Amino acid sequence: MDYLLNAWSYFATNILQQPAFMIGLIVMLGYILQKKPWYDVLAGVIKAIVGYLILAVGSSGLVSNFRPVLVGLKDVFQIDAMVIDPYFGQNAVTAGVEEVFGKGFGDAMILLLIAFIINILLVRFNRVTKLRALFTTGHVQVQQAATAYWLIMFALPGLLTRHAAMLIVMAVILGAYWAVGTNLLIRPCQEVTDGAGFTLAHQQMFGVALNYWLAEKLFGKKKEGREVKKIDDVELPGFMSIFNENMVCTSILMVAFFGAILCILGRNYLVAGGFLKEDASMVFYVIQTCLYFSVYLAILQLGVRTFVTELTASFQGIADKLLPGSVPGVDCAVIFGFGSANAVPLGFLAGFLGQIIAIAALIVLKSPVLVICGFVPVFFDNATIAIFANEKGGIKAALILPFISGLCQVFGSAIIAGWVGMAAYGGYLGMWDWAVVWPVMTALMKFLSYAGVVLVAAGLLVIPQLEYRADREGYFLVTEDYEKYKKLKNR
């Protein structure tokens, strides 16, 4: 038994928690199942790993570039608050789980393993479950396993003395959430990418699905057939036409928006914090810091183009031989290579404005839990929502829905983190699903006990059944042959 646990620990640490190598393993397995020559397998694996590493450089660069603002809002304005960010949330669980519940964090990794197996089984029997997507974003799984571990222990304290039962209950809920969430985004992803053959496996799956539906219902085509005006359809007059270029648009918006915040923080703070050298120009520091957003976005999009082709081509082997009719669930940043490029900065800024207003409301209302916005939720949630919202509802949806999302992230996180006690340890995951969906599920389990567990699990698993009933003819066709699916829908 110890041998198996050590083997799992090695795999989890070196492959599952390293998305580049997890993607490489999937590509290798897929091409082997397709009986590709060894040199094609090797080339595909290298391109997939390098592509994901490029994407990771872009993602981490965006996060680190935001650090002066994140730290400054807390230090300069003397706000003692928790940070809504996946890494701060994971650190909070690591620091507090033993003190609060008397349990070790190592159980969260066992939870991850069992939940991942449940995800695989649900997809393997997709003709019954109607679930068609495998969650492959390992680092996200680790963050979610940590947070789910805390939330479910809080909701069901009676399980603390029943170790095996506790892990099984947690794994059923988490594995079903992974399978159902990724499944919800299959059709939206296929429509936005024109059949690229993947779905998203991240922290805002239910949020994207809901906002995609709202964009169509509230902002979509009118009864008279008038087309929705998308971001790229907006014709800007005169000099403003430069905003049609993504790199220029992002750069100017960041200089205006974040440049103003950096100026408010002031030179003295930036020097004292080690962000700005004492003899350096404040003006050029601000300009360069803001322009790096465009640089990292360009890097991220290059990474997407490099590995997505390999992943989707190789996954066909897995779909044919092991998980028929399935698609891989990947990092939400992958969608930035599709749809309107300008939706990314606009969604980010709209969401950030919503978060700032929500934080100000918490301060005015003297909330016992205050929140500092982390870059990961405000950027990756809201930029992703904007891309999908723009596809169905145009520019209005791409601005309004991410703004509302920003409000939900702050208010929802403040409520749940304060209630379960995680705020005291400085952080909470804070992304859309974990600020809206998981608080509801936690409350059901807390107040209804095991009946709540059954209700949550049944509620999750009935969602794909309802999706299937709404589109019996095209439901599996959308993953198996997207061109036939389009012809079916255009009839």
PDB file of all heavy atoms in Angstrom, residues 376-408:
ATOM      1  N   VAL A 376      -5.379  36.507 -10.772  1.00  0.00           N
ATOM      2  CA  VAL A 376      -5.867  35.316 -11.475  1.00  0.00           C
ATOM      3  C   VAL A 376      -7.389  35.334 -11.645  1.00  0.00           C
ATOM      4  O   VAL A 376      -7.893  35.177 -12.760  1.00  0.00           O
ATOM      5  CB  VAL A 376      -5.394  34.029 -10.768  1.00  0.00           C
ATOM      6  CG1 VAL A 376      -5.972  32.792 -11.454  1.00  0.00           C
ATOM      7  CG2 VAL A 376      -3.868  33.958 -10.781  1.00  0.00           C
ATOM      8  N   PRO A 377      -8.177  35.555 -10.572  1.00  0.00           N
ATOM      9  CA  PRO A 377      -9.633  35.618 -10.789  1.00  0.00           C
ATOM     10  C   PRO A 377     -10.054  36.779 -11.680  1.00  0.00           C
ATOM     11  O   PRO A 377     -10.874  36.603 -12.594  1.00  0.00           O
ATOM     12  CB  PRO A 377     -10.204  35.775  -9.374  1.00  0.00           C
ATOM     13  CG  PRO A 377      -9.145  35.262  -8.475  1.00  0.00           C
ATOM     14  CD  PRO A 377      -7.852  35.615  -9.134  1.00  0.00           C
ATOM     15  N   VAL A 378      -9.517  37.963 -11.406  1.00  0.00           N
ATOM     16  CA  VAL A 378     -10.006  39.140 -12.130  1.00  0.00           C
ATOM     17  C   VAL A 378      -9.636  39.087 -13.608  1.00  0.00           C
ATOM     18  O   VAL A 378     -10.387  39.557 -14.460  1.00  0.00           O
ATOM     19  CB  VAL A 378      -9.492  40.447 -11.479  1.00  0.00           C
ATOM     20  CG1 VAL A 378      -8.041  40.702 -11.766  1.00  0.00           C
ATOM     21  CG2 VAL A 378     -10.325  41.636 -11.937  1.00  0.00           C
ATOM     22  N   PHE A 379      -8.501  38.484 -13.930  1.00  0.00           N
ATOM     23  CA  PHE A 379      -8.105  38.420 -15.338  1.00  0.00           C
ATOM     24  C   PHE A 379      -8.682  37.187 -16.023  1.00  0.00           C
ATOM     25  O   PHE A 379      -9.429  37.284 -16.987  1.00  0.00           O
ATOM     26  CB  PHE A 379      -6.583  38.428 -15.472  1.00  0.00           C
ATOM     27  CG  PHE A 379      -6.119  38.411 -16.910  1.00  0.00           C
ATOM     28  CD1 PHE A 379      -6.050  39.580 -17.636  1.00  0.00           C
ATOM     29  CD2 PHE A 379      -5.792  37.221 -17.536  1.00  0.00           C
ATOM     30  CE1 PHE A 379      -5.644  39.572 -18.970  1.00  0.00           C
ATOM     31  CE2 PHE A 379      -5.392  37.189 -18.861  1.00  0.00           C
ATOM     32  CZ  PHE A 379      -5.310  38.370 -19.578  1.00  0.00           C
ATOM     33  N   PHE A 380      -8.343  36.003 -15.528  1.00  0.00           N
ATOM     34  CA  PHE A 380      -8.672  34.782 -16.259  1.00  0.00           C
ATOM     35  C   PHE A 380     -10.169  34.489 -16.253  1.00  0.00           C
ATOM     36  O   PHE A 380     -10.713  33.991 -17.246  1.00  0.00           O
ATOM     37  CB  PHE A 380      -7.864  33.610 -15.706  1.00  0.00           C
ATOM     38  CG  PHE A 380      -6.404  33.707 -16.062  1.00  0.00           C
ATOM     39  CD1 PHE A 380      -5.488  34.220 -15.164  1.00  0.00           C
ATOM     40  CD2 PHE A 380      -5.961  33.323 -17.315  1.00  0.00           C
ATOM     41  CE1 PHE A 380      -4.146  34.328 -15.498  1.00  0.00           C
ATOM     42  CE2 PHE A 380      -4.620  33.433 -17.664  1.00  0.00           C
ATOM     43  CZ  PHE A 380      -3.710  33.942 -16.747  1.00  0.00           C
ATOM     44  N   ASP A 381     -10.867  34.779 -15.171  1.00  0.00           N
ATOM     45  CA  ASP A 381     -12.324  34.613 -15.175  1.00  0.00           C
ATOM     46  C   ASP A 381     -12.983  35.563 -16.163  1.00  0.00           C
ATOM     47  O   ASP A 381     -13.757  35.156 -17.037  1.00  0.00           O
ATOM     48  CB  ASP A 381     -12.902  34.905 -13.778  1.00  0.00           C
ATOM     49  CG  ASP A 381     -12.958  33.661 -12.905  1.00  0.00           C
ATOM     50  OD1 ASP A 381     -12.396  32.628 -13.303  1.00  0.00           O
ATOM     51  OD2 ASP A 381     -13.556  33.727 -11.825  1.00  0.00           O
ATOM     52  N   ASN A 382     -12.701  36.839 -16.008  1.00  0.00           N
ATOM     53  CA  ASN A 382     -13.475  37.859 -16.719  1.00  0.00           C
ATOM     54  C   ASN A 382     -13.082  37.996 -18.181  1.00  0.00           C
ATOM     55  O   ASN A 382     -13.938  38.282 -19.030  1.00  0.00           O
ATOM     56  CB  ASN A 382     -13.359  39.186 -15.971  1.00  0.00           C
ATOM     57  CG  ASN A 382     -13.925  39.070 -14.571  1.00  0.00           C
ATOM     58  OD1 ASN A 382     -15.037  38.611 -14.376  1.00  0.00           O
ATOM     59  ND2 ASN A 382     -13.150  39.455 -13.569  1.00  0.00           N
ATOM     60  N   ALA A 383     -11.812  37.786 -18.497  1.00  0.00           N
ATOM     61  CA  ALA A 383     -11.408  37.781 -19.902  1.00  0.00           C
ATOM     62  C   ALA A 383     -12.043  36.594 -20.628  1.00  0.00           C
ATOM     63  O   ALA A 383     -12.488  36.710 -21.775  1.00  0.00           O
ATOM     64  CB  ALA A 383      -9.885  37.723 -20.004  1.00  0.00           C
ATOM     65  N   THR A 384     -12.080  35.453 -19.954  1.00  0.00           N
ATOM     66  CA  THR A 384     -12.699  34.256 -20.555  1.00  0.00           C
ATOM     67  C   THR A 384     -14.195  34.471 -20.763  1.00  0.00           C
ATOM     68  O   THR A 384     -14.731  34.169 -21.841  1.00  0.00           O
ATOM     69  CB  THR A 384     -12.463  33.032 -19.646  1.00  0.00           C
ATOM     70  OG1 THR A 384     -11.062  32.848 -19.448  1.00  0.00           O
ATOM     71  CG2 THR A 384     -13.056  31.782 -20.270  1.00  0.00           C
ATOM     72  N   ILE A 385     -14.861  34.986 -19.764  1.00  0.00           N
ATOM     73  CA  ILE A 385     -16.301  35.257 -19.889  1.00  0.00           C
ATOM     74  C   ILE A 385     -16.562  36.238 -21.022  1.00  0.00           C
ATOM     75  O   ILE A 385     -17.516  36.077 -21.800  1.00  0.00           O
ATOM     76  CB  ILE A 385     -16.855  35.788 -18.552  1.00  0.00           C
ATOM     77  CG1 ILE A 385     -16.933  34.649 -17.525  1.00  0.00           C
ATOM     78  CG2 ILE A 385     -18.245  36.423 -18.737  1.00  0.00           C
ATOM     79  CD1 ILE A 385     -17.272  35.096 -16.114  1.00  0.00           C
ATOM     80  N   ALA A 386     -15.708  37.246 -21.163  1.00  0.00           N
ATOM     81  CA  ALA A 386     -15.901  38.253 -22.210  1.00  0.00           C
ATOM     82  C   ALA A 386     -15.804  37.642 -23.605  1.00  0.00           C
ATOM     83  O   ALA A 386     -16.572  38.016 -24.507  1.00  0.00           O
ATOM     84  CB  ALA A 386     -14.873  39.367 -22.050  1.00  0.00           C
ATOM     85  N   ILE A 387     -14.874  36.721 -23.808  1.00  0.00           N
ATOM     86  CA  ILE A 387     -14.742  36.089 -25.123  1.00  0.00           C
ATOM     87  C   ILE A 387     -16.017  35.348 -25.495  1.00  0.00           C
ATOM     88  O   ILE A 387     -16.540  35.476 -26.608  1.00  0.00           O
ATOM     89  CB  ILE A 387     -13.529  35.137 -25.135  1.00  0.00           C
ATOM     90  CG1 ILE A 387     -12.225  35.950 -25.151  1.00  0.00           C
ATOM     91  CG2 ILE A 387     -13.573  34.205 -26.346  1.00  0.00           C
ATOM     92  CD1 ILE A 387     -10.971  35.119 -25.046  1.00  0.00           C
ATOM     93  N   PHE A 388     -16.547  34.574 -24.554  1.00  0.00           N
ATOM     94  CA  PHE A 388     -17.774  33.818 -24.832  1.00  0.00           C
ATOM     95  C   PHE A 388     -18.987  34.741 -24.926  1.00  0.00           C
ATOM     96  O   PHE A 388     -19.866  34.540 -25.771  1.00  0.00           O
ATOM     97  CB  PHE A 388     -17.988  32.772 -23.741  1.00  0.00           C
ATOM     98  CG  PHE A 388     -17.085  31.578 -23.872  1.00  0.00           C
ATOM     99  CD1 PHE A 388     -15.878  31.530 -23.195  1.00  0.00           C
ATOM    100  CD2 PHE A 388     -17.432  30.512 -24.670  1.00  0.00           C
ATOM    101  CE1 PHE A 388     -15.042  30.429 -23.307  1.00  0.00           C
ATOM    102  CE2 PHE A 388     -16.601  29.406 -24.799  1.00  0.00           C
ATOM    103  CZ  PHE A 388     -15.401  29.371 -24.113  1.00  0.00           C
ATOM    104  N   ALA A 389     -19.062  35.738 -24.059  1.00  0.00           N
ATOM    105  CA  ALA A 389     -20.191  36.668 -24.090  1.00  0.00           C
ATOM    106  C   ALA A 389     -20.228  37.445 -25.394  1.00  0.00           C
ATOM    107  O   ALA A 389     -21.296  37.667 -25.975  1.00  0.00           O
ATOM    108  CB  ALA A 389     -20.110  37.626 -22.903  1.00  0.00           C
ATOM    109  N   ASN A 390     -19.062  37.855 -25.881  1.00  0.00           N
ATOM    110  CA  ASN A 390     -18.983  38.583 -27.139  1.00  0.00           C
ATOM    111  C   ASN A 390     -19.477  37.727 -28.299  1.00  0.00           C
ATOM    112  O   ASN A 390     -20.115  38.227 -29.230  1.00  0.00           O
ATOM    113  CB  ASN A 390     -17.545  39.027 -27.398  1.00  0.00           C
ATOM    114  CG  ASN A 390     -17.383  39.775 -28.705  1.00  0.00           C
ATOM    115  OD1 ASN A 390     -17.948  40.839 -28.909  1.00  0.00           O
ATOM    116  ND2 ASN A 390     -16.612  39.194 -29.614  1.00  0.00           N
ATOM    117  N   GLU A 391     -19.193  36.436 -28.237  1.00  0.00           N
ATOM    118  CA  GLU A 391     -19.591  35.534 -29.323  1.00  0.00           C
ATOM    119  C   GLU A 391     -21.107  35.492 -29.494  1.00  0.00           C
ATOM    120  O   GLU A 391     -21.612  35.463 -30.617  1.00  0.00           O
ATOM    121  CB  GLU A 391     -19.063  34.125 -29.036  1.00  0.00           C
ATOM    122  CG  GLU A 391     -19.347  33.098 -30.113  1.00  0.00           C
ATOM    123  CD  GLU A 391     -18.567  33.345 -31.398  1.00  0.00           C
ATOM    124  OE1 GLU A 391     -17.540  34.057 -31.352  1.00  0.00           O
ATOM    125  OE2 GLU A 391     -18.994  32.835 -32.442  1.00  0.00           O
ATOM    126  N   LYS A 392     -21.847  35.521 -28.398  1.00  0.00           N
ATOM    127  CA  LYS A 392     -23.299  35.405 -28.464  1.00  0.00           C
ATOM    128  C   LYS A 392     -24.033  36.728 -28.300  1.00  0.00           C
ATOM    129  O   LYS A 392     -25.124  36.904 -28.840  1.00  0.00           O
ATOM    130  CB  LYS A 392     -23.793  34.435 -27.382  1.00  0.00           C
ATOM    131  CG  LYS A 392     -23.558  32.980 -27.699  1.00  0.00           C
ATOM    132  CD  LYS A 392     -24.373  32.541 -28.912  1.00  0.00           C
ATOM    133  CE  LYS A 392     -24.199  31.059 -29.185  1.00  0.00           C
ATOM    134  NZ  LYS A 392     -24.915  30.641 -30.400  1.00  0.00           N
ATOM    135  N   GLY A 393     -23.451  37.653 -27.529  1.00  0.00           N
ATOM    136  CA  GLY A 393     -24.179  38.873 -27.215  1.00  0.00           C
ATOM    137  C   GLY A 393     -23.501  40.157 -27.640  1.00  0.00           C
ATOM    138  O   GLY A 393     -24.020  41.249 -27.372  1.00  0.00           O
ATOM    139  N   GLY A 394     -22.318  40.062 -28.244  1.00  0.00           N
ATOM    140  CA  GLY A 394     -21.643  41.250 -28.730  1.00  0.00           C
ATOM    141  C   GLY A 394     -20.962  42.065 -27.643  1.00  0.00           C
ATOM    142  O   GLY A 394     -20.767  41.615 -26.508  1.00  0.00           O
ATOM    143  N   ILE A 395     -20.611  43.289 -27.992  1.00  0.00           N
ATOM    144  CA  ILE A 395     -19.793  44.121 -27.119  1.00  0.00           C
ATOM    145  C   ILE A 395     -20.495  44.475 -25.810  1.00  0.00           C
ATOM    146  O   ILE A 395     -19.855  44.566 -24.754  1.00  0.00           O
ATOM    147  CB  ILE A 395     -19.343  45.402 -27.868  1.00  0.00           C
ATOM    148  CG1 ILE A 395     -18.320  46.177 -27.026  1.00  0.00           C
ATOM    149  CG2 ILE A 395     -20.526  46.267 -28.250  1.00  0.00           C
ATOM    150  CD1 ILE A 395     -17.631  47.286 -27.802  1.00  0.00           C
ATOM    151  N   LYS A 396     -21.810  44.656 -25.833  1.00  0.00           N
ATOM    152  CA  LYS A 396     -22.528  44.972 -24.589  1.00  0.00           C
ATOM    153  C   LYS A 396     -22.389  43.832 -23.587  1.00  0.00           C
ATOM    154  O   LYS A 396     -22.104  44.046 -22.410  1.00  0.00           O
ATOM    155  CB  LYS A 396     -24.009  45.249 -24.880  1.00  0.00           C
ATOM    156  CG  LYS A 396     -24.269  46.561 -25.601  1.00  0.00           C
ATOM    157  CD  LYS A 396     -25.763  46.767 -25.788  1.00  0.00           C
ATOM    158  CE  LYS A 396     -26.055  48.079 -26.512  1.00  0.00           C
ATOM    159  NZ  LYS A 396     -27.505  48.289 -26.717  1.00  0.00           N
ATOM    160  N   ALA A 397     -22.601  42.608 -24.060  1.00  0.00           N
ATOM    161  CA  ALA A 397     -22.485  41.446 -23.176  1.00  0.00           C
ATOM    162  C   ALA A 397     -21.056  41.289 -22.676  1.00  0.00           C
ATOM    163  O   ALA A 397     -20.824  40.924 -21.518  1.00  0.00           O
ATOM    164  CB  ALA A 397     -22.918  40.180 -23.913  1.00  0.00           C
ATOM    165  N   ALA A 398     -20.079  41.596 -23.548  1.00  0.00           N
ATOM    166  CA  ALA A 398     -18.668  41.433 -23.187  1.00  0.00           C
ATOM    167  C   ALA A 398     -18.218  42.445 -22.137  1.00  0.00           C
ATOM    168  O   ALA A 398     -17.176  42.246 -21.499  1.00  0.00           O
ATOM    169  CB  ALA A 398     -17.791  41.556 -24.434  1.00  0.00           C
ATOM    170  N   LEU A 399     -18.955  43.509 -21.948  1.00  0.00           N
ATOM    171  CA  LEU A 399     -18.623  44.505 -20.930  1.00  0.00           C
ATOM    172  C   LEU A 399     -19.476  44.338 -19.668  1.00  0.00           C
ATOM    173  O   LEU A 399     -18.962  44.410 -18.547  1.00  0.00           O
ATOM    174  CB  LEU A 399     -18.816  45.918 -21.486  1.00  0.00           C
ATOM    175  CG  LEU A 399     -17.825  46.348 -22.575  1.00  0.00           C
ATOM    176  CD1 LEU A 399     -18.244  47.680 -23.167  1.00  0.00           C
ATOM    177  CD2 LEU A 399     -16.418  46.444 -22.018  1.00  0.00           C
ATOM    178  N   ILE A 400     -20.771  44.103 -19.846  1.00  0.00           N
ATOM    179  CA  ILE A 400     -21.682  44.057 -18.698  1.00  0.00           C
ATOM    180  C   ILE A 400     -21.521  42.765 -17.889  1.00  0.00           C
ATOM    181  O   ILE A 400     -21.452  42.794 -16.651  1.00  0.00           O
ATOM    182  CB  ILE A 400     -23.144  44.218 -19.173  1.00  0.00           C
ATOM    183  CG1 ILE A 400     -23.345  45.627 -19.742  1.00  0.00           C
ATOM    184  CG2 ILE A 400     -24.120  43.962 -18.027  1.00  0.00           C
ATOM    185  CD1 ILE A 400     -24.687  45.835 -20.416  1.00  0.00           C
ATOM    186  N   LEU A 401     -21.436  41.623 -18.567  1.00  0.00           N
ATOM    187  CA  LEU A 401     -21.381  40.351 -17.840  1.00  0.00           C
ATOM    188  C   LEU A 401     -20.077  40.178 -17.043  1.00  0.00           C
ATOM    189  O   LEU A 401     -20.130  39.714 -15.895  1.00  0.00           O
ATOM    190  CB  LEU A 401     -21.610  39.191 -18.805  1.00  0.00           C
ATOM    191  CG  LEU A 401     -23.026  39.147 -19.431  1.00  0.00           C
ATOM    192  CD1 LEU A 401     -23.150  38.010 -20.425  1.00  0.00           C
ATOM    193  CD2 LEU A 401     -24.104  39.032 -18.350  1.00  0.00           C
ATOM    194  N   PRO A 402     -18.901  40.521 -17.573  1.00  0.00           N
ATOM    195  CA  PRO A 402     -17.702  40.466 -16.733  1.00  0.00           C
ATOM    196  C   PRO A 402     -17.756  41.430 -15.545  1.00  0.00           C
ATOM    197  O   PRO A 402     -17.224  41.130 -14.476  1.00  0.00           O
ATOM    198  CB  PRO A 402     -16.570  40.842 -17.701  1.00  0.00           C
ATOM    199  CG  PRO A 402     -17.084  40.437 -19.035  1.00  0.00           C
ATOM    200  CD  PRO A 402     -18.548  40.742 -18.990  1.00  0.00           C
ATOM    201  N   PHE A 403     -18.396  42.601 -15.728  1.00  0.00           N
ATOM    202  CA  PHE A 403     -18.559  43.536 -14.610  1.00  0.00           C
ATOM    203  C   PHE A 403     -19.366  42.882 -13.482  1.00  0.00           C
ATOM    204  O   PHE A 403     -18.978  42.938 -12.311  1.00  0.00           O
ATOM    205  CB  PHE A 403     -19.262  44.806 -15.098  1.00  0.00           C
ATOM    206  CG  PHE A 403     -19.631  45.749 -13.986  1.00  0.00           C
ATOM    207  CD1 PHE A 403     -18.686  46.590 -13.426  1.00  0.00           C
ATOM    208  CD2 PHE A 403     -20.928  45.785 -13.492  1.00  0.00           C
ATOM    209  CE1 PHE A 403     -19.025  47.458 -12.389  1.00  0.00           C
ATOM    210  CE2 PHE A 403     -21.281  46.644 -12.455  1.00  0.00           C
ATOM    211  CZ  PHE A 403     -20.318  47.478 -11.900  1.00  0.00           C
ATOM    212  N   ILE A 404     -20.475  42.244 -13.835  1.00  0.00           N
ATOM    213  CA  ILE A 404     -21.288  41.547 -12.834  1.00  0.00           C
ATOM    214  C   ILE A 404     -20.496  40.399 -12.214  1.00  0.00           C
ATOM    215  O   ILE A 404     -20.581  40.140 -11.009  1.00  0.00           O
ATOM    216  CB  ILE A 404     -22.594  41.041 -13.475  1.00  0.00           C
ATOM    217  CG1 ILE A 404     -23.445  42.224 -13.944  1.00  0.00           C
ATOM    218  CG2 ILE A 404     -23.382  40.170 -12.496  1.00  0.00           C
ATOM    219  CD1 ILE A 404     -24.657  41.832 -14.762  1.00  0.00           C
ATOM    220  N   SER A 405     -19.709  39.735 -13.033  1.00  0.00           N
ATOM    221  CA  SER A 405     -18.853  38.656 -12.527  1.00  0.00           C
ATOM    222  C   SER A 405     -17.900  39.166 -11.458  1.00  0.00           C
ATOM    223  O   SER A 405     -17.684  38.502 -10.433  1.00  0.00           O
ATOM    224  CB  SER A 405     -18.051  38.032 -13.678  1.00  0.00           C
ATOM    225  OG  SER A 405     -17.048  37.167 -13.203  1.00  0.00           O
ATOM    226  N   GLY A 406     -17.319  40.358 -11.668  1.00  0.00           N
ATOM    227  CA  GLY A 406     -16.427  40.943 -10.674  1.00  0.00           C
ATOM    228  C   GLY A 406     -17.119  41.166  -9.340  1.00  0.00           C
ATOM    229  O   GLY A 406     -16.542  40.917  -8.273  1.00  0.00           O
ATOM    230  N   LEU A 407     -18.359  41.616  -9.387  1.00  0.00           N
ATOM    231  CA  LEU A 407     -19.143  41.788  -8.156  1.00  0.00           C
ATOM    232  C   LEU A 407     -19.349  40.444  -7.457  1.00  0.00           C
ATOM    233  O   LEU A 407     -19.188  40.327  -6.236  1.00  0.00           O
ATOM    234  CB  LEU A 407     -20.506  42.406  -8.479  1.00  0.00           C
ATOM    235  CG  LEU A 407     -20.527  43.805  -9.106  1.00  0.00           C
ATOM    236  CD1 LEU A 407     -21.963  44.190  -9.482  1.00  0.00           C
ATOM    237  CD2 LEU A 407     -19.946  44.846  -8.156  1.00  0.00           C
ATOM    238  N   CYS A 408     -19.716  39.434  -8.245  1.00  0.00           N
ATOM    239  CA  CYS A 408     -19.975  38.105  -7.677  1.00  0.00           C
ATOM    240  C   CYS A 408     -18.728  37.525  -7.023  1.00  0.00           C
ATOM    241  O   CYS A 408     -18.804  36.902  -5.952  1.00  0.00           O
ATOM    242  CB  CYS A 408     -20.463  37.155  -8.774  1.00  0.00           C
ATOM    243  SG  CYS A 408     -22.087  37.553  -9.444  1.00  0.00           S
TER     244      CYS A 408
END
